[in-house]
Amino acid sequence: MRIMPWLGGVGLVLLLGVTTAFAMQRENGALPLLNLPSVAAGEVVPAGAVSDAPATNLPVRTSQPGFSGLAGTTLPRLPAPRTPAAPIVAIGSYQQVLINRDRGGARLAALSWSSCLYSTAIANARRMAAQGYISHTNGPWVDLGCGLGAQAGENVGWWSGGVNDAQLNSMFMASPDHRANIMGPYHYVATAWAVAGNGYAYIAVEFG
């Protein structure tokens, strides 16, 4: 646990992780910054809509045999394999953009958005806003249930000045344990804010 004062507000961050032995390959990735609307007291910040549209224009395998046992038979010409397109990273929040910028600076793969992880994040953010303090419950164990990998983690925090993604990202990155989650061997992320009646904002970040 770390309490970090800044000019104009006070914040607190916590983290929790669950892991099993698992090796993952890291790749490069970086994303531009986005502008998100401000949030009034009592509102829950949504993660945004993402598209799960299926991939198109993929080669189709013919039902014809690939060879023949008859002498003189001409073999069918199969289409040449296409080079797979670069993966598309779904964006659901500004906090995710900042996380992927941090990872890109370390030459790590960008994390894509997960609607399953978001269901955990929004539930935790609302819970903390209602109780008035940050805490972990079973977030990472629920995250493992999304089937996104053998490791899951969670960062949570609050800021007295309301929703402030840049401030919380800076606080997370200044804490070695929270930074380890941001730079961890994950493939997916989801984040959610909830604002309490007193204007304090609570964030949950789920990794999978």
Side-chain angles (χ1 to χ4, degrees), residues 32 59 64 72 79-80 85 111 172-173 187 208:
Q64 295 177 310
L111 303 181
F172 288 144
M173 288 296 288
H187 297 289

Side-chain angles (χ1 to χ4, degrees), residues 18 20 22-24 52 111-120 139-153 185-190 206-208:
V18 177
T20 59
F22 195 75
M24 297 185 181
D52 293 324
L111 303 181
S112 193
W113 186 263
S114 166
S115 58
C116 183
L117 293 180
Y118 174 70
S119 65
T120 306
W141 285 272
V142 176
D143 294 341
L144 286 175
C146 291
L148 302 175
Q151 183 168 330
Y186 303 111
H187 297 289
Y188 297 92
V189 70
E206 308 295 332
F207 300 90

Side-chain angles (χ1 to χ4, degrees), residues 78-193:
L78 298 177
R82 298 185 181 182
T83 302
I88 298 175
V89 177
I91 300 299
S93 74
Y94 183 44
Q95 187 71 206
Q96 179 197 7
V97 171
L98 296 176
I99 288 171
N100 282 337
R101 186 182 67 181
D102 296 331
R103 290 175 63 88
R107 302 181 65 83
L108 298 176
L111 303 181
S112 193
W113 186 263
S114 166
S115 58
C116 183
L117 293 180
Y118 174 70
S119 65
T120 306
I122 190 62
N124 280 328
R126 287 170 173 166
R127 172 183 56 79
M128 292 186 294
Q131 69 190 21
Y133 59 89
I134 62 175
S135 64
H136 294 288
T137 53
N138 61 347
W141 285 272
V142 176
D143 294 341
L144 286 175
C146 291
L148 302 175
Q151 183 168 330
E154 176 183 82
N155 288 347
V156 298
W158 66 273
W159 186 245
S160 61
V163 173
N164 192 326
D165 279 300
Q167 184 63 66
L168 265 294
N169 176 256
S170 295
M171 292 168 66
F172 288 144
M173 288 296 288
S175 165
D177 292 335
H178 295 85
R179 186 180 188 278
N181 263 348
I182 291 174
M183 300 297 183
Y186 303 111
H187 297 289
Y188 297 92
V189 70
T191 77
W193 283 95

Side-chain angles (χ1 to χ4, degrees), residues 58-67 74-81:
L58 297 178
V60 179
R61 183 179 297 276
T62 177
S63 60
Q64 295 177 310
F67 63 92
T74 302
L75 299 180
R77 184 182 296 275
L78 298 177

Side-chain angles (χ1 to χ4, degrees), residues 17-40:
V18 177
T19 182
T20 59
F22 195 75
M24 297 185 181
Q25 185 71 26
R26 294 176 174 178
E27 302 172 355
N28 298 337
L31 291 170
L33 299 180
L34 302 176
N35 271 324
L36 290 188
S38 59
V39 179

